[in-house]
Amino acid sequence: MRLALTPGEPAGIGPELAVMAAQQARPYELVALADAELLQQRAAQLKLPLRLRQVDFTEQARPSEAGELVYSPIPLAAPVEAGKLDSANADYVLQSLSEANRLALSAEVAAIVTGPVQKSVINNAGHAFSGHTEFFAEHSNTAKVVMMLACPGLRVALATTHLPLKDVSEALSQEQLEQTCRILYSELQNKFALSKPKVLVAGLNPHAGEGGHLGSEEIDVIEPVLNKLRAEGMQLEGPLPADTLFTPRYLEQADAVLAMYHDQGLPVLKYLGFGRAVNLTLGLPYIRSSVDHGTALDLAGTGRADPGSIEVALDQAWQLAQNSRNA
């Protein structure tokens, strides 16, 4: 089995995370879609051993050896200095993502693991780019995806993602929320091997609207959707007040939480598991996981980057790929 790794922004810590990941043996073939010279340069800066081997997709995948990194060449447009952004390399980042998408759609890799990108550089280069989630949805022709972050003990999916808070209520509709719930529930069953998952669903407003006194979205949107899906046999509890939902009494009985907006659920998860969390895109025709942090330009090339999140992302992708193969 092969997994594709896109290191992301070349001036950030992504390339060295790839080098760090190569320091241990793995039961699958990890393929970095990257510039070989960049990987060697960063390995030298970190004083870590690195043997590069160009992938041959006509051959059977073999487990990765410690100190070896298999790569598929994506050439840089301009030389890279760690910590210094250059919009000339925006196309390099997008090419690696496009190639990962192609390989996953053709089943040449079993999953995609992504390092952090610098959205501003890509947009400044003239490419409309709002994030990995939206990029892979568009390029795989997937109409609807769900963003979920997970760490040991907690999974949080989002009904809306990168929206201004003032736009969240308008973005929530019964149709949109039903699609989100169906994707989340199906993926928990098929990729996480949970036969009958239990999902806690947050309300949008304080106190989950308090019977309509603090907002009507719970009554008009959330409750009708949950009632419909519960009648089909889904275990969905809510809408629950977000300030009490994230307590052991509720969470110890749940497999996942569905939050209504980005900063309702993710601060709790990142407080609990930052550095051990993984970002997953549900609903794609393939598995995609990612680190839970940014490019950390100030750490690039110093050797002080924490590889914890990339290790979790790799482990999660590997586990989900095995679950999918056995389903």
Side-chain angles (χ1 to χ4, degrees):
M1 185 184 293
R2 288 187 172 96
L3 270 61
L5 171 63
T6 60
E9 168 54 48
I13 62 172
E16 60 210 69
L17 294 179
V19 172
M20 291 177 181
Q23 299 307 303
Q24 62 177 283
R26 300 182 184 276
Y28 52 85
E29 189 171 82
L30 180 62
V31 182
L33 310 182
D35 184 275
E37 186 176 343
L38 171 64
L39 295 171
Q40 288 284 20
Q41 178 189 62
R42 203 61 62 88
Q45 287 179 300
L46 272 58
K47 296 181 173 58
L48 290 175
L50 185 67
R51 302 185 310 276
L52 290 178
R53 173 170 62 86
Q54 188 167 336
V55 68
D56 184 348
F57 286 109
T58 66
E59 296 182 351
Q60 186 174 355
R62 62 179 189 259
S64 294
E65 300 177 4
E68 177 187 73
L69 184 58
V70 181
Y71 77 100
S72 181
I74 306 287
L76 284 165
V80 171
E81 183 177 346
K84 293 191 176 181
L85 298 171
D86 187 345
S87 59
N89 282 318
D91 282 338
Y92 163 81
V93 175
L94 295 179
Q95 285 172 19
S96 68
L97 299 183
S98 295
E99 178 64 2
N101 175 75
R102 186 191 69 78
L103 291 170
L105 287 176
S106 63
E108 293 180 82
V109 297
I112 299 170
V113 180
T114 58
V117 297
Q118 192 82 16
K119 297 177 188 176
S120 60
V121 168
I122 299 173
N123 282 283
N124 288 341
H127 305 285
F129 183 86
S130 56
H132 282 108
T133 302
E134 296 82 2
F135 180 93
F136 287 126
E138 177 184 352
H139 286 74
S140 65
N141 293 315
T142 305
K144 172 71 176 174
V145 295
V146 175
M147 178 179 173
M148 183 173 81
L149 269 76
C151 70
L154 182 61
R155 301 182 184 101
V156 177
L158 302 177
T160 62
T161 53
H162 301 117
L163 289 177
L165 194 56
K166 65 182 179 62
D167 296 336
V168 170
S169 177
E170 185 178 350
L172 282 174
S173 66
Q174 288 189 22
E175 179 183 11
Q176 183 266 356
L177 185 60
E178 180 179 339
Q179 289 177 331
T180 298
C181 289
R182 289 190 184 279
I183 291 171
L184 172 59
Y185 208 83
S186 174
E187 295 279 68
L188 289 173
Q189 290 179 313
N190 298 329
K191 290 181 181 172
F192 289 84
L194 299 168
S195 60
K196 199 168 179 63
K198 182 175 181 180
V199 178
L200 306 181
V201 181
L204 174 66
N205 298 294
H207 302 181
E210 203 162 287
H213 296 287
L214 293 176
S216 63
E217 288 86 356
E218 287 77 11
I219 296 171
D220 296 337
V221 178
I222 303 174
E223 288 179 1
V225 170
L226 300 189
N227 288 336
K228 176 182 179 180
L229 298 179
R230 280 191 286 252
E232 297 179 12
M234 293 188 192
Q235 291 195 99
L236 305 170
E237 185 174 350
L240 297 168
D243 63 347
T244 55
L245 181 162
F246 290 101
T247 57
R249 172 182 167 229
Y250 284 103
L251 293 179
E252 64 189 12
Q253 304 297 327
D255 295 301
V257 171
L258 178 60
M260 291 298 108
Y261 56 94
H262 188 280
D263 281 14
Q264 183 183 56
L266 297 193
V268 180
L269 183 135
K270 291 196 175 186
Y271 173 77
L272 177 65
F274 190 76
R276 298 175 297 131
V278 57
N279 185 343
L280 300 160
T281 306
L282 308 182
L284 291 169
Y286 48 75
I287 295 161
R288 179 257 167 169
S289 68
S290 181
V291 296
D292 69 344
H293 56 72
T295 53
L297 295 169
D298 58 321
L299 298 179
T302 67
R304 293 186 288 115
D306 184 351
S309 186
I310 192 69
E311 287 297 334
V312 176
L314 289 167
D315 290 346
Q316 184 74 90
W318 166 239
Q319 184 61 59
L320 295 182
Q322 289 181 299
N323 290 347
S324 297
R325 174 174 286 184
N326 296 330

